[in-house]
Amino acid sequence: MRHQNIVFHELLKQIPWAIFDRLVEQHDADRDQRATQSKPHLIAMLLAQFCGARGLREIEANLKSHAGKLYHVGGCAISKSALSTANNSRAAAGVFGDLLSVLMGQLQAGYRRKVRDCVRLIDSTSVRLST
């Protein structure tokens, strides 16, 4: 059967992976080879957000059900304990925060203003990301 990309693959194409790799190296985020690496961690968290996952078990189930397709974009199935450890040990403000800054910099000026206002609200307010 011929391989067919999923919509999530098209969304991931918007991420500048070369810059992401540079940020991972700059922050030394993947120094522990036994831990979940940054790219699969980011892919897992993005999939969780887009699927509206409410917990680690649901994220784990989504990753397992899409494991074959995620392989082609650099993702993989990750256990809930490995996700928990990665979420607790990886500083989100490091690599992921810098990636957000890069992505926001690529937006057109009008969108940048709107996003900047939203980010200010997120920074000053407790917001639940998945509902």
Side-chain angles (χ1 to χ4, degrees), residues 92-107:
V95 176
F96 298 157
D98 288 353
L99 179 63
L100 176 63
S101 297
V102 168
L103 290 172
M104 285 176 54
Q106 292 177 351
L107 289 173

Side-chain angles (χ1 to χ4, degrees), residues 8 12 15 17 20 37-47 90 96 99:
F8 186 60
L12 290 177
I15 296 176
W17 291 111
F20 179 77
Q37 300 298 295
S38 297
K39 184 174 183 178
H41 185 207
L42 175 65
I43 290 170
M45 294 295 99
L46 289 172
L47 182 65
R90 184 166 283 125
F96 298 157
L99 179 63

